Amino acid sequence: MSPRSVPRRILPVAVAAAAALVLTACGGPPAPDAPAAGGGEPVTEVNCGIEVTVPEPPQRIYAFYQPAIETLHALGVSDRLVGTAYLDAPVLAEFTQAQEAVPYVPDLPTREALLATAPDFVLSGYNNSFAATGNETVSTRADLAELGVRTWINAPLCPTEDGASDEAIDPAQVSMDTIYDDLRSLGRLLGAEERAGELVADLQARVAAVQERVEGRPQPRVAILLNDDDGSYRVASGIDFGTRVLEMAGAENVFADLTERRHVAVSKEELIARDPDVILTSTCCDPATVDADGEADVAQILGDPALSGSTAVREGAVHAFLFADRAASLRAPYAAERVADLVHPE
């Protein structure tokens, strides 16, 4: 099992197109702020306890995973991407054209393949890519820094030390405030500070709107399930950002008390005992994966005789949901809007 603990399944292209989630009034990613001229003052930001200093805005950026790839498109630096890797779903509609114009590989590159692109900055949406062990790691951040490559991890998933992974996430950092601060820091490093501020303001407004919509309503108890190939299940835990998405949508993660890792294997007896009102799938992982592909996961859960007595299964409250939509990223407010529609139907 990969360090991200999500099996990569090659899924068929669904006939339904992914819903467009518009971050900007105009189509496509925004134009970047003008990079600082050579000879400007270096910029230093702190990420996961590591100081990251750039003498000027990075010009050769490599992005690992959906959250990082979409963040860079949203910040308007698509033209600086020398490589992107490992999408779990289509990029947001307004970034499609920009993503088609940059190099893409379906899996993380090896350390050698990464360095062959001569990056000066690597942004990862998950911490496992810089872990000391695992089958999806390229190198530690310290190792890459010795080669002059600056690195960054989406901050809600910061490990407590370089080389660690999900077992070392600080629960206090798993928040939208961390995402906002992360975007501002990246904006300063990349010479896109103005755009970062606009993006944060847009996300904050969307969070406020969905929270206002669900305020005062009963909070359904929800489980986010990962269907494993052997018929067993894992759940998104309290330190997974899916918990924050549920909270924004006026719901409760029935497994929020589990905090050792983002994904936790649970028995079917435990699922029955927790008895969620609603179950969401965690369908993944291919650049063509859309909500319709989750219907196979829904059917497996609804057809599992061991779960037939649970409230969610008995009442048919099992819904397709994408792994990409519960990432610690700029998608989160939009995901909360969709979850609110599912768990608080009008």
Side-chain angles (χ1 to χ4, degrees):
M1 194 60 63
S2 79
R4 286 175 65 226
S5 301
V6 177
R8 177 179 277 282
R9 288 176 284 173
I10 305 302
L11 299 173
V13 178
V15 294
L21 304 179
V22 180
L23 286 171
T24 57
C26 57
D33 299 345
E41 289 296 320
V43 176
T44 298
E45 296 290 331
V46 177
N47 172 246
C48 304
I50 296 173
E51 285 193 355
V52 180
T53 300
V54 296
E56 59 185 5
Q59 297 299 306
R60 297 186 61 81
I61 306 171
Y62 206 117
F64 301 153
Y65 300 126
Q66 197 100 22
I69 293 169
E70 292 181 333
T71 291
L72 292 168
H73 287 315
L75 289 174
V77 297
S78 307
D79 60 331
R80 299 188 229 165
L81 286 168
V82 297
T84 58
Y86 209 138
L87 285 168
D88 299 311
V91 295
L92 302 181
E94 61 269 30
F95 305 144
T96 299
Q97 186 173 359
Q99 180 59 26
E100 289 174 348
V102 301
Y104 173 76
V105 292
D107 297 299
L108 289 195
T110 63
R111 179 177 182 274
E112 292 72 22
L114 171 67
L115 295 176
T117 67
D120 55 10
F121 192 84
V122 178
L123 176 64
S124 180
Y126 294 96
N127 52 34
N128 63 281
S129 49
F130 302 127
T133 60
N135 60 5
E136 286 185 349
T137 177
V138 295
S139 188
T140 64
R141 299 179 69 185
D143 171 62
L144 292 173
E146 289 181 358
L147 301 175
V149 181
R150 308 298 187 262
T151 56
W152 196 273
I153 297 172
N154 276 37
L157 301 184
C158 276
T160 53
E161 60 181 345
D162 187 24
S165 190
D166 278 358
E167 74 281 359
I169 291 174
D170 179 1
Q173 293 298 304
V174 184
S175 71
M176 283 302 301
D177 284 339
T178 302
I179 289 177
Y180 302 147
D181 290 342
D182 207 38
L183 288 169
R184 295 186 187 102
S185 291
L186 284 169
R188 289 188 287 269
L189 284 176
L190 301 179
E193 189 169 1
E194 181 178 352
R195 174 55 193 156
E198 294 169 350
L199 186 57
V200 168
D202 178 70
L203 297 176
Q204 288 173 326
R206 291 185 176 276
V207 171
V210 72
Q211 289 177 328
E212 181 179 357
R213 177 153 66 96
V214 301
E215 186 176 5
R217 297 191 180 190
Q219 294 195 342
R221 300 167 67 255
V222 180
I224 301 176
L225 294 193
L226 293 84
N227 299 39
D228 283 330
D229 293 337
D230 62 359
S232 64
Y233 302 100
R234 284 170 294 148
V235 296
S237 76
I239 61 170
D240 185 83
F241 211 82
T243 299
R244 302 288 89 80
V245 171
L246 293 178
E247 290 169 352
M248 287 187 282
E252 171 191 352
N253 184 350
V254 73
F255 288 98
D257 59 306
L258 305 181
T259 59
E260 291 186 1
R261 298 190 71 88
R262 288 176 49 239
H263 301 140
V264 181
V266 297
S267 67
K268 296 179 183 182
E269 290 79 10
E270 180 69 7
L271 279 167
I272 291 292
R274 300 258 182 160
D275 196 25
D277 302 309
V278 178
I279 292 174
L280 301 179
T281 73
S282 188
T283 302
C284 192
C285 307
D286 185 88
T289 304
V290 294
D291 287 332
D293 294 308
E295 293 306 320
D297 289 333
V298 170
Q300 178 184 329
I301 294 167
L302 289 174
D304 189 334
L307 302 182
S308 61
S310 69
T311 298
V313 171
R314 190 173 61 249
E315 297 184 358
V318 181
H319 305 289
F321 193 65
L322 296 182
F323 172 80
D325 285 340
R326 61 177 178 86
S329 75
L330 52 81
R331 279 185 177 240
Y334 301 92
E337 292 170 355
R338 180 164 187 274
V339 173
D341 291 339
L342 294 173
V343 304
H344 295 291
E346 297 297 339

